[in-house]
Amino acid sequence: MNKQLKKVLQSKRDQHLEELKAFLRIPSISALSEHKRDVQQAAEWLAQSLKKAGLENVRVMATKGHPVVYGDWLHAEGKPTVLIYGHYDVQPVDPLDLWETPPFEPDIRDNKIYARGASDDKGQTFMHIKAVETLLQIEGRLPVNIKFCIEGEEEIGSPNLDPFVAEHRELLQADVLVVSDTPMLEKGKPTVCYGLRGLCGLQIDVQGPKRDLHSGLFGGGVQNPIHALVHILDSMRNEKGEITIEGFYDRVQPITDEEREAYRALQFNEEEVRQELDVPELFGEQGYSFLERTWVRPTLEVNGIYGGFQGEGIKTVLPAQAHAKITCRLVPDQDPEEITRLIQRHIEKHTPPGVKVSTQLFDKGKPFLTPFDHPAIQAAGRVLEKAYGVSPAYTRMGGSIPIVETFHSLLNLPAVLMGFGLPSENFHAPNEHFHLENFDQGLVALCYYWFELEKALGQQ
């Protein structure tokens, strides 16, 4: 089957890429209400693609927000069932002027496809559909049962997927969850991710006087909300990169010696990261490597800060308000709701006189960890080595996919996070792209995986 598989994939490559371009042209930005119809269009496009691939029971299922697309193939009697999760919504495209080509006009250059969603996550979700379609064309059957659950709200924190999963437990029940929404360690190094950080986010709103004031008349006599906000934010971290919020680290699991040795064995080049980012030096919590800081240590980052006059030149104003958005990446066993309460308590304690402070809560998700010696994880490593010709890396990931923990807690599913993007592909930024070499090799790996998974889970 190996030679035939690669031959079929090669013969279908141009067709697959044209279909992917059609998918990428749909501006399915879940965060912006003006794109609600586009998000619906993307869901309907996906449903048609699943039907064309040979999936059955395909449905566009309503939620209180954007819909979930479901489809299945359940004719492998007595064999394991796999739930494939992905998302079809994308991030906003701002700043638009930094895109070399329009974000929703896919362009292939240097063997990369450029468009919003190319890597995160339309391209990778599309690969799963094409892998199933290819196997059904070649074999007429699949070695395992397959279910697809593709949502349209991942980029806004999946607010409606938890209740959707809870309501449809029987429909979504499976033996393992497979997700391709994580990056490879680096170019040419396929990766199986076995852990994700959790997430909590909030906005800090500082209110001073009831209106903007003339800084000459009132400056020095009234608290400046921007100064107050800077004081609050500065109190959250020290010069060593440590988070100073009381209780923040209380539940953090220490890194084991085995994990540290495994990360050292990856021989990750921090200097290359520094050069790629064009910064004078890397910075983070002292006593930890870059991988440890970004995979297994929690963070608190200011994502945005604004207030006062933003135009060209200067305006001598004492602003009435100031705002900041912060997010924390969390690790086992931190709870996002508890961390949010600790941050709110810290803000109250460090609010200077003369202003009122409130908070708005946003995304939250629990961290997740699967033992990397789980049979499904090891099966993924074997097929990646077969497709790429090199040993894979087993890693954790600094990002968050909150729904993975939901599938685990509600359906008791182990998760295989086998992504094909690269950290340099600008997901969430202008000029997002996807390396087509990973589109090609990843399709081969996914086709192999279902056969390898049948054997691995059948031996349990």
Side-chain angles (χ1 to χ4, degrees):
M1 201 267 288
N2 292 354
K3 290 183 179 180
Q4 185 182 7
L5 171 64
K6 292 180 180 180
K7 184 178 180 180
V8 170
L9 288 174
Q10 184 61 39
S11 69
K12 296 281 188 178
R13 187 177 192 266
D14 290 344
Q15 177 186 328
H16 288 167
L17 290 179
E18 287 304 312
E19 292 177 19
L20 176 56
K21 285 181 180 179
F23 190 22
L24 294 171
R25 288 190 186 102
I26 305 172
S28 50
I29 304 172
S30 56
L32 302 178
S33 58
E34 61 263 35
H35 287 282
K36 183 175 181 179
R37 186 172 297 179
D38 297 314
V39 178
Q40 180 71 32
Q41 181 188 353
E44 292 169 356
W45 189 96
L46 264 179
Q48 291 302 314
S49 184
L50 288 170
K51 290 177 183 177
K52 176 177 175 290
L55 277 297
E56 301 168 346
N57 302 309
V58 176
R59 286 178 268 173
V60 177
M61 305 179 70
T63 72
K64 290 183 179 180
H66 300 304
V68 171
V69 181
Y70 175 85
D72 61 37
W73 188 94
L74 304 175
H75 300 292
E77 187 175 349
K79 302 297 184 181
T81 298
V82 179
L83 179 63
I84 299 172
Y85 165 82
H87 66 91
Y88 62 87
D89 64 320
V90 299
Q91 282 277 324
V93 298
D94 308 86
L96 190 60
D97 62 315
L98 295 183
W99 286 81
E100 295 179 17
T101 53
F104 296 109
E105 295 180 18
D107 183 57
I108 294 178
R109 54 187 188 270
D110 301 324
N111 203 34
K112 305 168 192 172
I113 185 165
Y114 286 79
R116 173 59 87 226
S119 180
D120 180 22
D121 180 43
K122 284 183 174 179
Q124 300 194 62
T125 298
F126 179 80
M127 289 167 62
H128 276 283
I129 299 172
K130 292 299 130 180
V132 169
E133 179 180 279
T134 300
L135 289 180
L136 287 174
Q137 288 175 352
I138 294 173
E139 299 280 314
R141 57 175 294 277
L142 300 175
V144 294
N145 299 294
I146 295 283
K147 297 178 179 180
F148 278 88
C149 177
I150 309 172
E151 70 156 319
E153 297 185 328
E154 194 274 345
E155 299 293 6
I156 55 173
S158 303
N160 292 295
L161 199 55
D162 278 23
F164 178 88
V165 174
E167 183 182 351
H168 298 93
R169 292 187 194 204
E170 186 175 347
L171 178 71
L172 299 175
Q173 192 60 58
D175 297 294
V176 64
L177 175 71
V178 176
V179 181
S180 293
D181 193 18
T182 51
M184 294 166 50
L185 183 63
E186 59 188 36
K187 187 177 177 67
K189 188 67 171 178
T191 303
V192 183
C193 178
Y194 62 93
L196 296 166
R197 291 195 289 191
L199 175 71
C200 69
L202 55 84
Q203 178 172 308
I204 306 172
D205 300 306
V206 181
Q207 178 68 53
K210 64 181 179 180
R211 63 179 184 276
D212 287 358
L213 303 176
H214 189 295
S215 66
L217 298 178
F218 293 94
V222 177
Q223 177 69 271
N224 186 317
I226 295 179
H227 293 176
L229 179 59
V230 169
H231 171 79
I232 293 169
L233 296 175
D234 188 55
S235 72
M236 293 181 174
R237 256 184 17 171
N238 64 24
E239 67 279 359
K240 298 180 180 179
E242 298 166 338
I243 297 161
T244 54
I245 293 168
E246 186 177 353
F248 187 87
Y249 292 109
D250 285 358
R251 298 183 186 274
V252 175
Q253 295 181 12
I255 305 173
T256 66
D257 292 339
E258 290 79 8
E259 274 190 299
R260 279 200 143 150
E261 183 55 40
Y263 298 160
R264 280 194 289 267
L266 293 174
Q267 298 183 327
F268 185 79
N269 192 324
E270 295 191 7
E271 175 59 18
E272 285 186 1
V273 176
R274 187 198 67 77
Q275 293 179 13
E276 166 67 22
L277 299 178
D278 193 23
V279 293
E281 61 183 284
L282 300 178
F283 175 79
E285 188 181 1
Q286 288 187 8
Y288 298 94
S289 69
F290 179 84
L291 291 184
E292 291 165 351
R293 292 169 182 165
T294 57
W295 288 355
V296 298
R297 296 298 293 171
T299 66
L300 184 150
E301 298 291 348
V302 179
N303 307 123
I305 182 169
Y306 57 100
F309 179 63
Q310 305 291 317
E312 184 178 356
I314 193 167
K315 181 180 181 183
T316 54
V317 63
L318 193 158
Q321 298 179 344
H323 311 270
K325 298 177 187 291
I326 66 174
T327 53
C328 297
R329 301 291 176 167
L330 309 177
V331 299
D333 291 303
Q334 289 180 304
D335 179 79
E337 293 187 0
E338 179 184 23
I339 294 299
T340 299
R341 289 194 298 270
L342 293 176
I343 294 172
Q344 290 173 320
R345 189 182 307 159
H346 180 94
I347 292 170
E348 292 173 6
K349 184 178 179 181
H350 289 83
T351 295
V355 294
K356 294 178 287 187
V357 179
S358 59
T359 56
Q360 301 179 52
L361 305 185
F362 294 116
D363 296 358
K364 63 180 179 180
K366 293 182 179 180
F368 178 79
L369 190 66
T370 298
F372 73 86
D373 59 353
H374 189 282
I377 295 282
Q378 292 300 309
R382 289 192 293 273
V383 298
L384 288 172
E385 183 167 4
K386 186 175 181 181
Y388 281 82
V390 297
S391 297
Y394 294 90
T395 72
R396 295 201 204 181
M397 192 183 84
S400 306
I401 309 176
I403 193 60
V404 172
E405 200 279 333
T406 296
F407 282 120
H408 174 70
S409 61
L410 292 180
L411 302 180
N412 195 31
L413 292 182
V416 177
L417 307 175
M418 181 167 48
F420 301 97
L422 292 176
S424 61
E425 288 179 338
N426 292 349
F427 31 84
H428 293 208
N431 302 307
E432 179 180 350
H433 57 279
F434 188 34
H435 285 67
L436 292 182
E437 65 194 59
N438 291 323
F439 179 83
D440 297 330
Q441 291 173 293
L443 267 173
V444 173
L446 291 176
C447 289
Y448 288 159
Y449 186 52
W450 309 128
F451 294 95
E452 193 68 29
L453 189 64
E454 177 200 5
K455 291 188 291 185
L457 296 186
Q459 294 170 358
Q460 285 186 289

